[in-house]
Amino acid sequence: MSAEPLDLDVTFEELTSSLTTPHDPAAGRPDPSDPVFALHAGGKLEVVPRSPLRDRRDLSLAYTPGVADVSRAIAANPGLLDVYTGRGNTVAVVSDGTAVLGLGDIGPGAAMPVMEGKALLFKHFAGVDAVPICLATTDVDTIVETVALMAPTFGGINLEDISAPRCFEIERRLQERLAMPVFHDDQHGTAVVVLAALMNAAKVVGRELTGLRTVISGAGAAGVAIAAILRRAGVEDVVVCDSRGIVETSRDDLSEVKSELAARTNPRGVTGGIAEALRDADVFVGVSGGTVPEEVVATMAPGGVVFALANPDPEVHPDVAGRYAAVVGTGRSDFPNQINNVLAFPGIFRGALDCRATRVTEGMKLAAAEAIAGCVDAPTAGEVVPSVFDERVVTAVAQAVMAAARADGVARA
């Protein structure tokens, strides 16, 4: 099913003249003096040339006739594309606007400020040029074909804010079709940072990671990926819940993705809902929204871990979680232990681009998690992940990702 086409037949003057007070962003009436809207006015990105254009000589080198020699060389040797163009340092940030932050299905136009923000983070933290691509379609075949056709322009594809279960198929098909990193950040970026945080949280509570009885609330993109990476890291007891209860093999209402998830998780065969899942659990990871009642949190094993990552309202408020858990994390910046994807994706793409990886492997994701965890010199209850502004993180992740890519045989440089 395709989304409605965007109405672009409106001038900037017509648009801004319709913006009246009172300030009501949800009704399409922002206050231009509001700092948020003032910052976003005109967008957050621009294209800046890397080569000077001062005179006719510069023009002849950057464009015709000089550029013809570069094009001939690339035509004869396609491997030169990443050497003599910006492709090797450029990522497409692709969304259809169906699962944007905590806003849900708001469409490709409304997703654009978020994708611009993602591109800003790529450039600021990792020096990667990123281009927001918001597609006016939700059809899987069309998205796959469109992104594949754009591939000569980009060195990697970052899929963003595409709803489950379509996101799984889109990523899988693009990975099969393209010899470049294709990474759905809502899945794997989240999973990498959760694993990093849990590695250090296990040290804080004096437990082995593999023995932690873990419950994940949410069986969408992030929940499925978190379950997968925790199991690869050796966590043996993982139970996943969706809105209807524990994802387990006796249920007859599971999608193909959830059926596969049920077969790989819940080794004790627990049935019921979040209350049954959390009883005596050591770890809660929330990626679903909603609220877990305090009386249910109270049934967890003492001295455990609560990562309630829904934004802006965590599934368990940190004040409540702190009454029962030894380590508490959220997705918010105003509480300790912010579990944020920006700790992962800039370094993962920096490393993957620098070694010209043909894909992002499971080994590369595990290496990224270990590198993030390693940036916390002495984990404490208030610090199990580094700050998003810790300048060591991108370099550490990129180096670990490159080493893993070479070990996995997917690096070309």
Side-chain angles (χ1 to χ4, degrees):
M1 178 180 67
S2 297
E4 291 296 320
L6 299 177
D7 180 13
L8 301 178
D9 294 327
V10 57
T11 67
F12 182 76
E13 290 75 15
E14 290 171 333
L15 180 61
T16 54
S17 67
S18 68
L19 302 180
T20 59
T21 54
H23 182 56
D24 187 358
R29 296 194 304 271
D31 176 1
S33 67
D34 180 287
V36 170
F37 286 91
L39 181 145
H40 286 78
K44 299 187 288 293
L45 305 173
E46 64 178 347
V47 176
V48 178
R50 297 181 67 238
S51 304
L53 196 60
R54 298 161 297 197
D55 50 34
R56 293 178 65 183
R57 181 179 182 277
D58 288 344
L59 180 61
S60 69
L61 291 173
Y63 198 51
T64 187
V67 73
D69 286 341
V70 181
S71 293
R72 290 190 189 100
I74 293 171
N77 181 2
L80 295 175
L81 180 60
D82 290 337
V83 178
Y84 292 106
T85 74
R87 177 183 184 271
N89 193 53
T90 305
V91 168
V93 180
V94 179
S95 181
D96 62 2
T98 55
V100 180
L101 295 176
L103 304 175
D105 186 356
I106 59 174
M112 189 65 175
V114 182
M115 300 312 117
E116 283 191 348
K118 197 78 172 190
L120 178 68
L121 298 179
F122 265 112
K123 187 65 174 179
H124 177 83
F125 288 106
V128 172
D129 295 318
V131 180
I133 306 289
C134 292
L135 301 177
T137 180
T138 60
D139 180 72
V140 170
D141 292 337
T142 303
I143 292 174
V144 170
E145 187 66 19
T146 300
V147 174
L149 290 173
M150 293 190 299
T153 307
F154 301 104
I157 307 296
N158 183 90
L159 300 174
E160 191 76 21
D161 294 347
I162 298 174
S163 63
R166 295 175 310 110
C167 60
F168 302 116
E169 183 179 358
I170 290 169
E171 183 187 50
R172 177 185 59 78
R173 287 170 58 179
L174 286 171
Q175 285 175 336
E176 292 172 351
R177 186 164 173 176
L178 303 176
M180 66 171 63
V182 177
F183 188 82
H184 185 207
D185 188 47
D186 302 311
Q187 292 183 62
H188 309 300
T190 304
V192 165
V193 183
V194 166
L195 174 57
L198 193 56
M199 286 175 170
N200 282 338
K203 296 176 182 178
V204 172
V205 300
R207 298 282 303 278
E208 291 294 324
L209 179 72
T210 56
L212 294 175
R213 185 176 289 184
T214 301
V215 175
I216 300 169
S217 176
V224 170
I226 292 168
I229 201 170
L230 292 184
R231 291 186 65 257
R232 285 192 296 273
V235 181
E236 298 173 354
D237 193 336
V238 177
V239 176
V240 183
C241 297
D242 64 10
S243 60
R244 298 185 179 182
I246 294 171
V247 178
E248 41 91 10
T249 54
S250 69
R251 283 177 52 179
D252 59 6
D253 61 343
L254 299 179
S255 65
E256 181 179 353
V257 170
K258 290 184 181 180
S259 292
E260 294 174 356
L261 181 64
R264 299 192 305 266
T265 57
N266 193 22
R268 290 177 290 116
V270 184
T271 60
I274 189 68
E276 289 74 20
L278 275 179
R279 189 173 297 119
D280 297 322
D282 301 303
V283 179
F284 169 78
V285 180
V287 284
S288 64
T291 301
V292 179
E294 180 173 354
E295 57 268 26
V296 173
V297 180
T299 68
M300 293 179 62
V305 178
V306 170
F307 293 154
L309 306 184
N311 264 319
D313 299 314
E315 293 88 349
V316 183
H317 192 277
D319 292 343
V320 174
R323 297 169 192 157
Y324 307 99
V327 179
V328 178
T330 70
R332 291 171 48 156
S333 60
D334 53 346
F335 291 102
N337 295 322
Q338 183 188 16
I339 298 175
N340 191 306
N341 292 11
V342 77
L343 287 167
F345 71 82
I348 289 173
F349 270 97
R350 181 73 278 157
L353 292 172
D354 286 350
C355 72
R356 297 183 62 210
T358 57
R359 63 185 294 112
V360 177
T361 66
E362 304 307 323
M364 292 160 72
K365 297 171 196 173
L366 287 173
E370 292 169 355
I372 294 168
C375 287
V376 181
D377 298 322
T380 65
E383 186 183 18
V384 294
V385 288
S387 164
V388 297
F389 294 105
D390 187 330
E391 296 180 355
R392 301 173 300 164
V393 174
V394 168
T395 300
V397 172
Q399 291 175 346
V401 164
M402 284 192 286
R406 293 181 177 118
D408 290 343
V410 298
R412 293 178 290 187

